[in-house]
Amino acid sequence: MNKPSRIIDPAILTKFGNLSFIAKTVVEGFISGLHHSIHKGSSVEFAEHREYVRGDDPRYLDWKLYGRTDRLYVREFREETNLKAYIILDISNSMNYTSQPQFITKFRYAQCLAVCLGYLMMKQNDATGLVVFDSDVKKFIKPSSTKAHFHFLVDNLENIRPGKDTNIGEILHKIANHIRRRSLIILISDLFDEQDSAMRGLTHFKYKHHEIIVFHVIDRGEMEFPFDGFRDFVDMETDERISVDATTIRAAYQKIFKEFLSFYQKGCSELGINYARAITQTPFDYFLYQFLEMRSQTK
Amino acid sequence: MGFLQPVFLWGLIGVSVPVIIHLFSRKRAPAYFFSTIKFLKLTHKKTIRRQKIEEFIVLFLRIILIICLSLALAEPVNKRALFSERNSWVILILDDTCSMSAGTSEIPWKNLQKSCEQILSSVKKETYVSAIFNSGKIIPFSKIHEKIAQEIRTSQPTFMGNTMQSAINQASSMLEKKQGYKRIFIITDLQKSTWDNLNTESIQKTKTELIIVDVGEDTRENITIKDFYPVAGKNRYICEIINWTKKEIAAEIKFSSDGYEVIKPVLLQGSKKNEIEINLEKDCQQGKIELLYPDVLKTDNSFYIQKEPSGQKKVLIVGTEDPSVFYAQSSVVSSDMISADIKKINEITDVYPKNYRTMIMVNPQRIEIPIRQKIYNYILNGGTLIYFAGERIAPEDFNSDWFLTKENMCIMPSKIVKKANFSKQAQIAYIATGHPLFSEFGDRIFDYLKTTRFNSCFSTKDITGDILIKLDNGYPILIEKKLGRGRIFLFTFSPEQTWTNFQRKPFFPVMINLMIEYLSGSTSTASTGSTIVINGSETSKSVSLTNPEGKIKIIKNENNKPVGYVPDIPGIWVAEFSNENGAQKQIVAVNIPYTEGDPSKISKNEIREIFKKIHLNFIPKNNTEKILSAESSGKDLMILLLWISLFLLLAELILSNVFVFIREKGIKNGHG
C-alpha cells in the first residue's frame, strides 16, 4: 500500500465532486496494488498444491494429480475477501455540525467516508450494505458486491439528509438482531448519546461475532471549544438552550470531552473493536491510509 | 425627608440599567447551534449556581451604587427640621435648676444659652416657638424668635432643684391641641435628680419629637451638706455631709451664728453620707454651716438652720382614759412651758414634728396600719415618741403585728416578751448617768430614786436600742433608740400603781419634762422650690414675707386659709403676721436641695426608658449647631452617601475581578 501522494482538503474535494468522484479520487489515489481486504472473509478459494506429509487430512489429497504424477499432493486454500460488510451511518442532527463555515460538516465527512469505504470494498468484490439511522433506522440496504449496487449506494447516500436526534444504543441492538450472518460492521457516528448504552450496542455486535470498526467523527471545534464570552448554545438535536461564559468553562469542557473520547477509545479497545477518530479537518485519503496501515499492522 | 436638588433623583432611573443588562444580556447573546450541549451542561451545572450568586451580588452593588449616588447628588434634607412648613411648633424646655450653675470650667447655663441661640437660628420664621423654664417661667408661643432669645440671654439659673415634671406637663398641654409638626428641645445638664419619678403620660399623647440637648459637664467633684440638726445633749449637733466623689476628701466645716464661729476639720469618706458631730459652746437659735470646699454649684456652699422658736412646747398624749394617762398628763403639765393635747389612738390625723415635738403613748390600743405609717414618718422627721407599755399591749401585737410587719416600720428599741410579775419588789440598780438626760444630776439621781419600787414590768428581747435604766433583777425599764431624725423612749412598764410607784415620785415628771425639753430642739428647714405653709396665718388678712436678701413682700390672704409661699433663694425667710393671739413670726431656714450637688448624670438608656413611646434624639455637648445644620442641610448624609458610593464602586470592581479570577482558577483546576 502506498502512502497517498497528494492530500486533498476534504472541503475542496466535496465542493467540486459528487460522491462517486470523491470515492474514486480518494481511493484510487492510494489503493492501487492493495492486496488485502479490510475484512477477513470466511469462504475459501484454491491457492496451491503441497507435497503430502504424514498427518495431512487425506480429504484434501488431489487424486487426479496423483494419477498424472504418481505422487501425493494436497490442495491448499486461502480465505476469500468479498464477504458482507455493513456501513452504519449516523445521520442525527448533531452530525450536521461544523465549527467553521469553511469546513465540511461531520455529516458530509461521514457521507464521504462511507462512499469511499464502499468503493474500496467494491474494488475487492466485497459485498457492501448500508444502514442509515437517526432516532430510528431510516434505510437498510442489503449488501451486494456488484458495481450497480455500489452506484445504488452512492445514490442513496447522496439523497439522505440529517435527521433528528439519535438513539445509538437502541439502534445498534436493533441492527445487530437484524444481521444474522457474521459480517463486518462499520459504524460512522459522533456517538453523542448515552455512552454506556452505545457501548452495550457495540458489545451486542461483538457477541454475535461480527467484526466492528468504529469511525468516531468529531469536529475540531467540539474538541477545542474555541469560543469566548457569554453565548447561548443551542443543542442541534433537542433545541435546548444554555447560556455559558465560554471563556471560563473552556478548560473544564475540554477535560470532560477528552474523558468522553477516552471512554470510547478504551471501551472499544477492551472489546477488540477497531476504533478510529475521524477529525473532519483531516483529508479522507490521509485518514483512510492511516487507518488501513494501522489495521494491516494489527492484523 | 426632602431634597435640595431633586433633579438628580432622575438618576434613580439608572437603577434599571444594570437590571436590564442583567435580565436581557443573555437573551441578546448570540445563539450558537452546537452539536450537543450535554458536555456544557456537565460543566455549567457546577458553575451556574455560584455564577448566579456572583452576578446577583455584583448587580446588587451596582443598584445600590446608583441609588446612593443619585441620593447624594440630590442633597437630602430633613424638611421637618427646616420647619419650612407652616404649623410647626417648637418648645424649648430649659433646665434652670441650681446644678446648671455648677461647673469647674464652663457653666452649663452658658452652654444652654448658646444652644438655645443655635436652635432658634436654625428655626424658620414661620415656626412658633415657646420656652418653658423648669422653675415655672413660661414664654408663650411666638414667631418673634429674637424676643425669646433675648429673654433666655438675660435669664439665670435658679437655686431650685425642680424636676422636669411641671415643664413637661406644661409643654404637653401647650402642644396638645396643636396641629402640625411638633418638637420639644430639652436643654439640660442631664443631672439625675432632675429626671426622678417623671410621669410622661401626657407628652406621649402629643406625638411630639423630643430632642435632648446635653449641656452639662461630664465629670465634676462635689460635696454638699445634706442636713444639720441637734441631737440629745446640750448644744450637740450632727452635720450630714454627702461626698459625691469616690475618693476621701479633707475639708473644713464652719458654723457661724451672730459672730460666734466654730471651725472643724473633717475627713469625708467617698460615695457616702458622712455624719459629723459638732458641739457648740452656746445655744444658738439660728445659724449657718459652711463647707469650706470649692462648691461646683457656685453658691456659698452653706446650710442655714433655724431652731424652733423657744416658747411653749406642745405634747400629744395618746391613750385611753385610765390612771396611767393621768400620770403622764400630770407630769407634762407640771411645766408651764409645756402644754398637752390628749387624743385617742384613732383620732391621730395630723401628727407632725411641727405640731407636736413629742408624742407620749400610754398603754395604747391596737394601732391601725395607716396610723402606724404616720407615726413612723413623724419620728423619721424629728418627732419623739415616749412609749409606756401596759396591759393593753399584747406582746404578739407589739412584736409582730404592730411594729414588725415591715422591717422598715420596726421602730421599737426591743421586742416585748411578756409581763413579768416580781415575787420580790425590784429597785432601780442602773442608770446611764452619762446620758444627756441624766448627766446634770450626777450620782444624786440614785438618791432621788432609792424608794422607787417595781412590782412588774415587761420582759424584753432583741434589744436594738440603748438601755438607760435597769432594775436590780436585770429587767430594763427604759430603752432609747434613734430613728431618722427622731427618737423613741420605751418604758417597759405602765405608770400605774399596780406596776410601780415611779410615777408618784417627784423625779418622774422632772424626767419627762427633761425628755421633752431635750428632744424639742430640732431645727426647721425647708428647700428652695417647695411650698412653705405659714401656720396660723389663716385668720390674718395679710402676711409680710421677708426673703434672705431683705426684700419684703406682702401676701394678702382673702380665703381664710393658711398662706403659703415658695422660697426661691436659700437663707432665712421670715413671715410676719398677726392673728387673734397677737403678732406672730415664722422663721424658716431655706436651703438648696442637697441632691443638686449630685454630679451624676442620667444615661441615654434611662431617658429612653422614661419616654418609652416618644421619638427621641440626642445632641451631645457642644454639638447643637453642627447637628442642626447637618440635619437641615443633610450634608453629613450626603457625604456619607458619597463615601458609600465610592466604597461600592471599589467593591464592585474588586469583586467582579475576584469572581472571574476564582472561577477561572477553579475551572482550570477542574473544580468546575
Side-chain angles (χ1 to χ4, degrees), chain A residues 69-218:
Chain A
T69 62
D70 203 22
R71 295 178 72 172
L72 284 172
Y73 287 93
V74 288
R75 282 182 291 183
E76 285 199 323
F77 300 89
R78 72 170 185 186
E79 287 179 331
E80 278 184 0
T81 59
N82 55 343
L83 294 181
K84 290 180 188 298
Y86 286 91
I87 297 171
I88 302 173
L89 181 63
D90 180 0
I91 60 159
S92 63
N93 211 22
S94 65
M95 292 287 287
N96 198 23
Y97 172 75
T98 177
S99 57
Q100 301 283 339
Q102 65 268 30
F103 298 151
I104 59 168
T105 64
K106 291 191 289 180
F107 172 73
R108 189 64 178 157
Y109 196 91
Q111 243 181 345
C112 294
L113 209 54
V115 83
C116 288
L117 290 166
Y119 185 78
L120 191 62
M121 284 186 283
M122 181 201 74
K123 278 273 187 186
Q124 296 178 157
N125 293 323
D126 291 332
T128 312
L130 177 69
V131 183
V132 175
F133 73 95
D134 50 11
S135 57
D136 203 353
V137 175
K138 296 291 176 194
K139 239 172 203 120
F140 193 100
I141 300 169
K142 285 184 179 174
S144 172
S145 57
T146 62
K147 209 167 184 178
H149 181 72
F150 171 71
H151 289 298
F152 176 66
L153 284 185
V154 170
D155 282 347
N156 272 283
L157 280 169
E158 283 279 22
N159 292 325
I160 54 171
R161 292 287 172 268
K164 300 174 188 173
D165 56 342
T166 186
N167 191 359
I168 298 173
E170 207 177 296
I171 299 291
L172 291 181
H173 282 299
K174 212 170 178 178
I175 299 166
N177 286 330
H178 200 72
I179 302 170
R180 293 178 190 280
R181 201 175 150 193
R182 190 164 171 264
S183 307
L184 172 68
I185 306 294
I186 302 168
L187 174 65
I188 307 173
S189 169
D190 56 8
L191 298 171
F192 286 164
D193 195 12
E194 212 274 298
Q195 289 162 232
D196 290 327
S197 166
M199 215 57 222
R200 280 196 295 274
L202 291 171
T203 313
H204 193 171
F205 280 110
K206 198 71 194 168
Y207 173 75
K208 290 214 163 183
H209 305 290
H210 296 297
E211 190 184 357
I212 310 156
I213 297 169
V214 173
F215 288 115
H216 197 175
V217 186
I218 298 294

Side-chain angles (χ1 to χ4, degrees), chain B residues 337-518:
Chain B
M337 298 300 286
I338 302 172
S339 66
D341 285 346
I342 300 176
K343 286 186 179 175
K344 287 181 183 172
I345 193 77
N346 295 330
E347 292 170 354
I348 299 174
T349 50
D350 52 340
V351 48
Y352 305 108
K354 278 178 193 168
N355 303 342
Y356 303 105
R357 296 306 309 171
T358 308
M359 185 193 296
I360 301 175
M361 273 192 179
V362 187
N363 199 6
Q365 290 172 307
R366 187 169 181 172
I367 305 170
E368 298 300 329
I369 288 172
I371 294 171
R372 291 179 200 176
Q373 186 68 48
K374 278 186 181 173
I375 294 168
Y376 176 70
N377 290 333
Y378 162 78
I379 296 167
L380 281 186
N381 291 320
T384 303
L385 175 65
I386 299 171
Y387 189 96
F388 286 96
E391 296 284 0
R392 294 178 200 279
I393 301 297
E396 298 79 26
D397 190 26
F398 182 92
N399 293 338
S400 59
D401 197 21
W402 189 160
F403 291 112
L404 300 178
T405 308
K406 285 182 185 174
E407 198 185 342
N408 62 2
M409 285 185 71
C410 179
I411 60 171
M412 277 296 161
S414 78
K415 289 181 183 176
I416 285 177
V417 181
K418 62 176 183 179
K419 185 184 174 186
N421 294 314
F422 309 138
S423 53
K424 184 189 166 191
Q425 282 192 323
Q427 292 183 47
I428 290 171
Y430 165 78
I431 297 174
T433 48
H435 190 275
L437 267 178
F438 310 118
S439 58
E440 66 179 273
F441 300 105
D443 287 340
R444 285 174 295 151
I445 198 164
F446 287 101
D447 293 335
Y448 302 145
L449 297 171
K450 65 182 177 188
T451 56
T452 305
R453 297 287 183 273
F454 286 84
N455 296 320
S456 45
C457 77
F458 277 103
S459 58
T460 55
K461 67 171 183 180
D462 301 340
I463 296 171
T464 53
D466 301 325
I467 298 170
L468 301 187
I469 304 176
K470 211 193 267 184
L471 297 180
D472 55 1
N473 55 14
Y475 286 93
I477 58 164
L478 178 59
I479 309 169
E480 180 199 18
K481 182 185 174 182
K482 191 186 169 208
L483 184 70
R485 289 179 67 180
R487 277 163 199 281
I488 304 115
F489 287 95
L490 170 65
F491 287 98
T492 61
F493 61 91
S494 178
E496 287 178 72
Q497 213 166 346
T498 52
W499 290 65
T500 179
N501 61 358
F502 190 18
Q503 70 280 2
R504 289 192 293 166
K505 299 293 173 191
F507 184 72
F508 184 76
V510 173
M511 183 182 70
I512 298 294
N513 279 298
L514 273 174
M515 276 182 180
I516 295 165
E517 188 71 30
Y518 275 118

Side-chain angles (χ1 to χ4, degrees), chain A residues 97 222 232 234 240 248, chain B residues 32 34-35 38 41 44 667:
Chain A
Y97 172 75
E222 288 171 335
D232 272 7
V234 182
E240 206 179 337
T248 55
Chain B
Y32 184 81
F34 198 55
S35 49
K38 73 172 194 171
K41 274 184 182 172
H44 192 57
I667 288 166

Side-chain angles (χ1 to χ4, degrees), chain B residues 529-547:
Chain B
S530 60
T531 305
I532 295 172
V533 176
I534 305 168
N535 295 318
S537 65
E538 55 267 34
T539 53
S540 174
K541 286 186 177 174
S542 66
V543 174
S544 167
L545 185 67
T546 308
N547 78 359

